[in-house]
Amino acid sequence: MSMLTPPGMGGKYRITGDKYPRMRRPRRRGRLVLLTVACAALLGVIGWGTLQLIDVFTGDGRKASAAGSTAGCTTKATASSAAPAAAPLAPGRITVNVLNATPRAGLAKQTADELKKRGFRIGQVGNATKAYDKKVPGTGVLLGPASALGTSLPVLATQLPGAERRTDAARKGDAVDLIIGTGFKSLAAKPDADRALALLARPQPTPTAQKKSC
């Protein structure tokens, strides 16, 4: 080994000039950069957490209490009394044609007389037309113009609750028909019919907008 070779170098380096090579290890700059970034991220997290705590103890608490108060609100539906869209007519303003669709003679006149006692106006009394004669298996059919669906027919139905209600759009006038069917026995008892009339004339409550109470 040459005299100019520094000890411990194993002959790897040879001095060719008048200066020795630098023996310091290269700096590990990568670790320094990573450490710097980690410190900056940690400081950011600490700062964000501090701001959140400040918000909780200053302003956001009010938002939380407001949200909690609305959670306990209850919704109530109120009702108001209102008259029906089409008020039922009084029996004295309704003209009824009593028609018999059964083979039992005299049934139309008997029924018409009873309706007259109860305040109804009586129109035609006789046998039903071919369209209904012996073709009504139930207690009867109440037939009238379209306008009678919410006015005359409900009132007449209080006298014969089991009757079917029908309307004819092409029909003129305001008279209605009571067509007696084969299942007919008698009109409703007068006390029962009077109670039904009273309920029909009573205004029914209609729901209004819902209100919240907190």
Coordinates of all heavy atoms in Angstrom, one line a residue, residues 61-141:
G61 N -73.4 26.6 19.2 CA -74.2 26.1 20.3 C -75.7 26.6 20.1 O -76.6 25.9 20.4
R62 N -75.8 27.8 19.6 CA -77.2 28.3 19.3 C -77.9 27.5 18.3 O -79.1 27.3 18.3 CB -77.1 29.8 18.9 CG -76.6 30.7 20.1 CD -76.8 32.1 19.7 NE -76.0 32.5 18.5 CZ -74.8 33.0 18.6 NH1 -74.2 33.1 19.7 NH2 -74.2 33.3 17.4
K63 N -77.1 27.1 17.2 CA -77.7 26.3 16.1 C -78.2 25.0 16.7 O -79.2 24.5 16.3 CB -76.7 26.1 15.0 CG -76.3 27.4 14.3 CD -75.3 27.1 13.2 CE -74.9 28.4 12.5 NZ -73.9 28.1 11.4
A64 N -77.4 24.4 17.6 CA -77.7 23.1 18.1 C -79.0 23.1 18.9 O -79.9 22.3 18.9 CB -76.6 22.5 18.9
S65 N -79.1 24.2 19.8 CA -80.3 24.4 20.6 C -81.5 24.6 19.8 O -82.6 24.2 20.1 CB -80.1 25.5 21.6 OG -79.9 26.7 20.9
A66 N -81.3 25.4 18.7 CA -82.5 25.7 17.8 C -83.0 24.4 17.1 O -84.2 24.1 17.0 CB -82.1 26.7 16.7
A67 N -82.0 23.5 16.7 CA -82.4 22.3 16.1 C -83.1 21.4 17.1 O -84.1 20.7 16.7 CB -81.2 21.6 15.5
G68 N -82.6 21.4 18.3 CA -83.3 20.6 19.3 C -84.7 21.0 19.6 O -85.6 20.2 19.9
S69 N -84.9 22.3 19.6 CA -86.3 22.8 19.9 C -87.3 22.5 18.8 O -88.4 22.2 19.1 CB -86.2 24.4 20.1 OG -85.8 25.0 18.9
T70 N -86.8 22.5 17.6 CA -87.8 22.1 16.5 C -88.1 20.6 16.5 O -89.1 20.2 16.0 CB -87.2 22.5 15.1 OG1 -85.9 21.9 15.0 CG2 -87.1 24.0 15.0
A71 N -87.2 19.8 17.0 CA -87.4 18.4 17.0 C -88.6 18.0 17.9 O -89.2 17.0 17.7 CB -86.1 17.6 17.5
G72 N -88.9 18.9 18.9 CA -90.0 18.6 19.8 C -91.3 19.1 19.3 O -92.3 19.1 20.1
C73 N -91.4 19.7 18.1 CA -92.6 20.3 17.6 C -93.6 19.2 17.3 O -93.3 18.1 16.9 CB -92.3 21.1 16.4 SG -91.3 22.6 16.7
T74 N -94.9 19.5 17.5 CA -95.9 18.6 17.2 C -96.8 19.3 16.1 O -97.0 20.5 16.1 CB -96.8 18.3 18.4 OG1 -97.3 19.5 19.0 CG2 -95.9 17.5 19.4
T75 N -97.4 18.5 15.2 CA -98.3 18.9 14.2 C -99.7 18.6 14.5 O -100.0 17.4 14.8 CB -97.9 18.3 12.8 OG1 -96.5 18.6 12.5 CG2 -98.8 18.8 11.7
K76 N -100.5 19.6 14.5 CA -101.9 19.4 14.8 C -102.8 19.8 13.6 O -102.6 20.8 13.0 CB -102.3 20.2 16.1 CG -101.6 19.8 17.3 CD -102.0 20.7 18.5 CE -101.3 20.2 19.8 NZ -101.8 21.1 20.9
A77 N -103.8 19.0 13.4 CA -104.8 19.3 12.3 C -106.0 19.9 12.9 O -106.6 19.3 13.8 CB -105.1 18.1 11.5
T78 N -106.4 21.1 12.5 CA -107.6 21.7 13.0 C -108.7 21.5 12.0 O -108.5 21.3 10.8 CB -107.3 23.2 13.2 OG1 -106.9 23.8 12.0 CG2 -106.2 23.4 14.3
A79 N -109.9 21.6 12.5 CA -111.1 21.4 11.7 C -112.0 22.6 11.8 O -112.1 23.2 12.9 CB -111.9 20.1 12.0
S80 N -112.7 23.0 10.8 CA -113.7 24.1 10.8 C -115.0 23.6 10.2 O -115.0 22.8 9.3 CB -113.1 25.3 10.0 OG -112.9 24.9 8.7
S81 N -116.1 24.1 10.7 CA -117.4 23.7 10.2 C -117.7 24.5 9.0 O -117.5 25.7 8.9 CB -118.4 24.0 11.3 OG -118.2 23.2 12.4
A82 N -118.1 23.8 8.0 CA -118.4 24.4 6.7 C -119.6 23.7 6.1 O -119.8 22.4 6.2 CB -117.2 24.3 5.7
A83 N -120.5 24.4 5.4 CA -121.6 23.8 4.8 C -121.2 22.9 3.6 O -120.2 23.2 3.0 CB -122.6 24.9 4.3
P84 N -121.9 21.9 3.2 CA -121.6 21.1 2.1 C -121.6 21.9 0.8 O -122.2 23.0 0.7 CB -122.7 20.0 2.0 CG -123.3 20.0 3.4 CD -123.1 21.4 4.0
A85 N -120.9 21.4 -0.2 CA -120.8 22.2 -1.4 C -122.2 22.4 -2.1 O -122.4 23.5 -2.6 CB -119.9 21.5 -2.4
A86 N -123.0 21.4 -2.0 CA -124.4 21.5 -2.5 C -125.3 21.2 -1.4 O -125.4 20.0 -1.0 CB -124.6 20.6 -3.7
A87 N -126.0 22.2 -0.8 CA -126.9 21.9 0.3 C -128.1 21.1 -0.1 O -128.7 21.3 -1.2 CB -127.4 23.2 0.9
P88 N -128.5 20.1 0.7 CA -129.7 19.3 0.3 C -130.9 20.1 0.3 O -131.1 21.0 1.1 CB -129.7 18.2 1.4 CG -129.0 18.8 2.5 CD -127.9 19.7 2.0
L89 N -131.8 19.7 -0.6 CA -133.1 20.5 -0.7 C -134.1 20.0 0.4 O -134.0 18.8 0.9 CB -133.7 20.3 -2.1 CG -132.9 20.8 -3.2 CD1 -133.6 20.4 -4.5 CD2 -132.7 22.3 -3.1
A90 N -135.0 20.8 0.7 CA -136.1 20.4 1.6 C -137.1 19.5 0.9 O -137.2 19.6 -0.4 CB -136.9 21.6 2.1
P91 N -137.7 18.5 1.5 CA -138.6 17.6 0.8 C -139.7 18.3 0.0 O -140.1 17.9 -1.1 CB -139.2 16.7 1.9 CG -138.2 16.8 3.0 CD -137.5 18.1 2.9
G92 N -140.2 19.5 0.5 CA -141.2 20.2 -0.2 C -140.8 20.8 -1.5 O -141.6 21.2 -2.3
R93 N -139.5 20.8 -1.8 CA -139.0 21.3 -3.0 C -138.6 20.2 -4.0 O -138.1 20.5 -5.1 CB -137.8 22.2 -2.8 CG -138.1 23.4 -1.9 CD -136.8 24.2 -1.7 NE -136.2 24.7 -2.9 CZ -135.0 25.3 -3.0 NH1 -134.3 25.5 -1.9 NH2 -134.6 25.6 -4.2
I94 N -138.9 19.0 -3.7 CA -138.5 17.9 -4.5 C -139.8 17.2 -5.1 O -140.7 16.8 -4.3 CB -137.7 16.8 -3.7 CG1 -136.4 17.5 -3.2 CG2 -137.3 15.7 -4.6 CD1 -135.6 16.6 -2.3
T95 N -139.8 17.1 -6.4 CA -140.9 16.4 -7.1 C -140.5 15.0 -7.4 O -139.4 14.8 -8.0 CB -141.3 17.1 -8.4 OG1 -141.7 18.4 -8.0 CG2 -142.5 16.4 -9.1
V96 N -141.3 14.0 -6.9 CA -140.9 12.6 -7.0 C -142.0 11.9 -7.9 O -143.2 12.0 -7.7 CB -140.9 11.9 -5.7 CG1 -140.4 10.4 -5.8 CG2 -139.9 12.6 -4.7
N97 N -141.5 11.2 -9.0 CA -142.3 10.3 -9.8 C -142.2 8.9 -9.2 O -141.0 8.4 -9.1 CB -141.8 10.3 -11.2 CG -141.9 11.7 -11.8 OD1 -142.9 12.5 -11.6 ND2 -140.9 12.0 -12.6
V98 N -143.2 8.3 -8.8 CA -143.2 7.0 -8.2 C -143.7 6.0 -9.2 O -144.8 6.0 -9.7 CB -144.1 6.9 -6.9 CG1 -144.0 5.6 -6.3 CG2 -143.7 8.0 -5.9
L99 N -142.7 5.1 -9.6 CA -143.0 4.1 -10.6 C -142.8 2.7 -10.1 O -141.8 2.4 -9.4 CB -142.0 4.4 -11.8 CG -142.0 5.8 -12.3 CD1 -141.0 6.0 -13.4 CD2 -143.4 6.2 -12.9
N100 N -143.7 1.8 -10.5 CA -143.7 0.5 -10.0 C -143.1 -0.5 -11.0 O -143.6 -0.6 -12.1 CB -145.1 0.0 -9.7 CG -145.2 -1.3 -9.0 OD1 -144.2 -1.9 -8.7 ND2 -146.4 -1.9 -8.8
A101 N -142.0 -1.1 -10.7 CA -141.3 -2.1 -11.6 C -141.6 -3.5 -11.1 O -140.9 -4.4 -11.6 CB -139.8 -1.8 -11.6
T102 N -142.6 -3.7 -10.3 CA -142.9 -5.1 -9.8 C -144.3 -5.5 -10.3 O -145.1 -4.7 -10.7 CB -142.9 -5.1 -8.2 OG1 -144.1 -4.4 -7.8 CG2 -141.7 -4.4 -7.7
P103 N -144.6 -6.8 -10.2 CA -145.9 -7.2 -10.6 C -147.0 -7.0 -9.5 O -148.2 -7.3 -9.7 CB -145.7 -8.7 -10.8 CG -144.6 -9.1 -10.0 CD -143.7 -7.9 -9.9
R104 N -146.7 -6.3 -8.4 CA -147.6 -6.1 -7.3 C -148.4 -4.8 -7.6 O -147.9 -3.7 -7.7 CB -146.9 -5.9 -6.0 CG -146.2 -7.2 -5.6 CD -145.0 -6.9 -4.6 NE -145.4 -6.2 -3.4 CZ -144.5 -5.8 -2.5 NH1 -143.2 -5.9 -2.7 NH2 -145.0 -5.1 -1.5
A105 N -149.7 -4.9 -7.8 CA -150.5 -3.8 -8.2 C -150.7 -2.9 -7.0 O -150.8 -3.3 -5.8 CB -151.9 -4.3 -8.7
G106 N -150.9 -1.6 -7.3 CA -151.2 -0.6 -6.3 C -150.0 -0.1 -5.5 O -150.1 0.7 -4.6
L107 N -148.8 -0.7 -5.7 CA -147.7 -0.4 -4.8 C -147.2 1.1 -5.1 O -146.7 1.7 -4.1 CB -146.5 -1.4 -5.1 CG -145.4 -1.4 -4.1 CD1 -145.9 -1.7 -2.7 CD2 -144.4 -2.5 -4.5
A108 N -147.2 1.5 -6.3 CA -146.8 2.9 -6.6 C -147.7 3.9 -5.9 O -147.1 4.9 -5.3 CB -146.8 3.1 -8.1
K109 N -149.0 3.8 -5.9 CA -149.9 4.7 -5.3 C -149.7 4.7 -3.8 O -149.7 5.8 -3.1 CB -151.3 4.4 -5.6 CG -152.3 5.5 -5.1 CD -153.7 5.1 -5.5 CE -154.7 6.3 -5.1 NZ -154.6 6.6 -3.7
Q110 N -149.6 3.5 -3.2 CA -149.4 3.4 -1.8 C -148.1 4.2 -1.3 O -148.1 4.9 -0.3 CB -149.4 2.0 -1.4 CG -149.1 1.7 0.1 CD -149.0 0.2 0.4 OE1 -149.3 -0.6 -0.4 NE2 -148.5 -0.1 1.6
T111 N -147.1 4.0 -2.1 CA -145.8 4.6 -1.7 C -145.9 6.1 -1.9 O -145.3 6.9 -1.1 CB -144.7 4.0 -2.6 OG1 -144.6 2.6 -2.4 CG2 -143.3 4.6 -2.2
A112 N -146.5 6.5 -3.0 CA -146.6 8.0 -3.3 C -147.4 8.7 -2.2 O -147.1 9.8 -1.8 CB -147.3 8.2 -4.6
D113 N -148.5 8.0 -1.7 CA -149.3 8.7 -0.6 C -148.4 8.9 0.6 O -148.5 9.9 1.3 CB -150.5 7.8 -0.3 CG -151.5 7.8 -1.4 OD1 -151.4 8.7 -2.3 OD2 -152.4 6.9 -1.5
E114 N -147.6 7.9 0.9 CA -146.8 8.0 2.1 C -145.7 9.1 2.0 O -145.4 9.8 2.9 CB -146.1 6.6 2.4 CG -145.2 6.6 3.7 CD -146.0 6.9 4.9 OE1 -147.2 6.6 5.0 OE2 -145.4 7.4 5.9
L115 N -145.1 9.2 0.8 CA -144.1 10.3 0.5 C -144.8 11.6 0.6 O -144.2 12.6 1.1 CB -143.5 10.1 -0.8 CG -142.5 8.9 -1.0 CD1 -142.0 8.8 -2.4 CD2 -141.3 9.2 0.0
K116 N -146.0 11.7 0.2 CA -146.7 13.0 0.3 C -147.0 13.4 1.7 O -146.8 14.6 2.1 CB -148.1 12.9 -0.5 CG -148.8 14.2 -0.6 CD -150.1 14.0 -1.4 CE -150.8 15.4 -1.6 NZ -152.0 15.2 -2.4
K117 N -147.3 12.4 2.6 CA -147.4 12.7 4.0 C -146.1 13.2 4.6 O -146.2 14.0 5.6 CB -147.9 11.5 4.7 CG -149.3 11.0 4.4 CD -149.6 9.7 5.1 CE -151.0 9.2 4.8 NZ -151.3 7.9 5.5
R118 N -145.0 12.8 4.1 CA -143.7 13.2 4.6 C -143.2 14.5 4.0 O -142.1 14.9 4.3 CB -142.7 12.1 4.4 CG -143.1 10.8 5.1 CD -142.1 9.7 5.0 NE -142.6 8.5 5.6 CZ -141.8 7.4 5.8 NH1 -140.5 7.4 5.4 NH2 -142.3 6.3 6.4
G119 N -144.0 15.2 3.2 CA -143.7 16.5 2.7 C -143.2 16.6 1.3 O -142.9 17.7 0.8
F120 N -143.0 15.4 0.6 CA -142.6 15.4 -0.8 C -143.7 15.8 -1.8 O -144.9 15.5 -1.5 CB -142.0 14.1 -1.2 CG -140.7 13.8 -0.5 CD1 -140.7 13.1 0.7 CD2 -139.5 14.1 -1.1 CE1 -139.5 12.8 1.4 CE2 -138.3 13.8 -0.5 CZ -138.3 13.2 0.8
R121 N -143.3 16.4 -2.8 CA -144.3 16.7 -3.9 C -144.3 15.5 -4.8 O -143.3 15.0 -5.2 CB -143.8 18.0 -4.7 CG -143.8 19.2 -3.9 CD -143.1 20.4 -4.6 NE -143.9 20.7 -5.8 CZ -143.5 21.6 -6.7 NH1 -142.4 22.3 -6.5 NH2 -144.2 21.9 -7.7
I122 N -145.5 15.1 -5.2 CA -145.7 13.9 -6.0 C -146.0 14.3 -7.5 O -146.8 15.2 -7.7 CB -146.8 13.0 -5.5 CG1 -146.5 12.6 -4.0 CG2 -146.9 11.7 -6.3 CD1 -145.1 11.9 -3.8
G123 N -145.3 13.7 -8.4 CA -145.5 13.9 -9.8 C -146.3 12.7 -10.4 O -147.4 12.5 -10.0
Q124 N -145.6 12.1 -11.3 CA -146.3 10.9 -12.0 C -146.3 9.7 -11.1 O -145.3 9.4 -10.4 CB -145.5 10.6 -13.3 CG -146.1 9.5 -14.1 CD -145.3 9.1 -15.4 OE1 -144.3 9.9 -15.7 NE2 -145.6 8.1 -16.0
V125 N -147.4 9.0 -11.2 CA -147.5 7.7 -10.4 C -148.0 6.7 -11.4 O -149.1 6.8 -12.1 CB -148.5 7.9 -9.2 CG1 -148.7 6.5 -8.5 CG2 -148.1 8.9 -8.3
G126 N -147.3 5.5 -11.5 CA -147.7 4.5 -12.4 C -146.7 3.4 -12.5 O -145.8 3.2 -11.6
N127 N -146.7 2.7 -13.7 CA -145.8 1.6 -13.9 C -144.5 2.1 -14.5 O -144.4 3.2 -15.2 CB -146.4 0.6 -14.8 CG -147.6 -0.1 -14.2 OD1 -147.6 -0.4 -13.0 ND2 -148.6 -0.4 -15.0
A128 N -143.4 1.4 -14.2 CA -142.1 1.8 -14.7 C -142.0 1.5 -16.2 O -142.8 0.7 -16.8 CB -141.0 1.0 -14.0
T129 N -141.1 2.1 -16.9 CA -140.9 1.9 -18.3 C -140.3 0.6 -18.6 O -139.8 -0.1 -17.7 CB -139.9 3.0 -18.9 OG1 -138.7 2.9 -18.2 CG2 -140.5 4.4 -18.7
K130 N -140.2 0.2 -19.9 CA -139.7 -1.2 -20.2 C -138.2 -1.3 -19.8 O -137.7 -2.4 -19.5 CB -139.8 -1.4 -21.7 CG -141.2 -1.6 -22.2 CD -141.2 -1.9 -23.7 CE -142.7 -2.1 -24.2 NZ -142.7 -2.4 -25.7
A131 N -137.5 -0.2 -19.8 CA -136.1 -0.3 -19.4 C -135.9 -0.8 -17.9 O -134.9 -1.3 -17.6 CB -135.4 1.1 -19.6
Y132 N -136.9 -0.6 -17.1 CA -136.9 -0.9 -15.7 C -137.9 -1.9 -15.2 O -137.8 -2.6 -14.2 CB -137.0 0.3 -14.8 CG -135.8 1.2 -14.9 CD1 -135.8 2.3 -15.8 CD2 -134.6 1.0 -14.2 CE1 -134.7 3.2 -15.9 CE2 -133.5 1.8 -14.3 CZ -133.6 2.9 -15.2 OH -132.5 3.8 -15.3
D133 N -139.0 -2.1 -16.0 CA -140.1 -3.0 -15.6 C -139.6 -4.4 -15.3 O -139.1 -5.1 -16.2 CB -141.2 -3.0 -16.6 CG -142.5 -3.6 -16.1 OD1 -142.7 -3.7 -14.9 OD2 -143.2 -4.1 -17.0
K134 N -139.8 -4.9 -14.1 CA -139.4 -6.2 -13.6 C -137.9 -6.5 -13.8 O -137.5 -7.6 -14.0 CB -140.2 -7.3 -14.4 CG -141.7 -7.2 -14.1 CD -142.5 -8.2 -14.9 CE -144.0 -8.1 -14.6 NZ -144.5 -6.8 -15.1
K135 N -137.1 -5.4 -13.8 CA -135.6 -5.5 -14.0 C -134.9 -4.9 -12.9 O -133.7 -4.6 -13.0 CB -135.2 -4.9 -15.3 CG -135.8 -5.6 -16.6 CD -135.4 -4.8 -17.8 CE -136.1 -5.5 -19.1 NZ -135.7 -4.8 -20.3
V136 N -135.6 -4.6 -11.8 CA -134.9 -4.0 -10.6 C -135.0 -5.0 -9.5 O -136.0 -5.1 -8.8 CB -135.6 -2.7 -10.2 CG1 -134.9 -2.0 -9.0 CG2 -135.6 -1.7 -11.4
P137 N -134.0 -5.8 -9.2 CA -134.1 -6.9 -8.2 C -134.0 -6.3 -6.8 O -134.4 -7.0 -5.9 CB -132.9 -7.8 -8.5 CG -131.9 -6.8 -9.2 CD -132.7 -5.8 -10.0
G138 N -133.4 -5.2 -6.6 CA -133.3 -4.6 -5.2 C -134.5 -3.9 -4.8 O -135.6 -4.1 -5.3
T139 N -134.3 -3.1 -3.7 CA -135.4 -2.3 -3.2 C -135.9 -1.3 -4.1 O -137.1 -0.9 -4.1 CB -135.0 -1.7 -1.8 OG1 -133.9 -0.8 -2.0 CG2 -134.7 -2.8 -0.8
G140 N -135.0 -0.7 -4.9 CA -135.5 0.3 -5.8 C -134.3 1.1 -6.4 O -133.1 0.9 -6.1
V141 N -134.6 2.0 -7.4 CA -133.6 2.8 -8.0 C -134.1 4.3 -7.9 O -135.3 4.6 -8.2 CB -133.5 2.4 -9.5 CG1 -132.6 3.5 -10.2 CG2 -132.9 1.0 -9.6

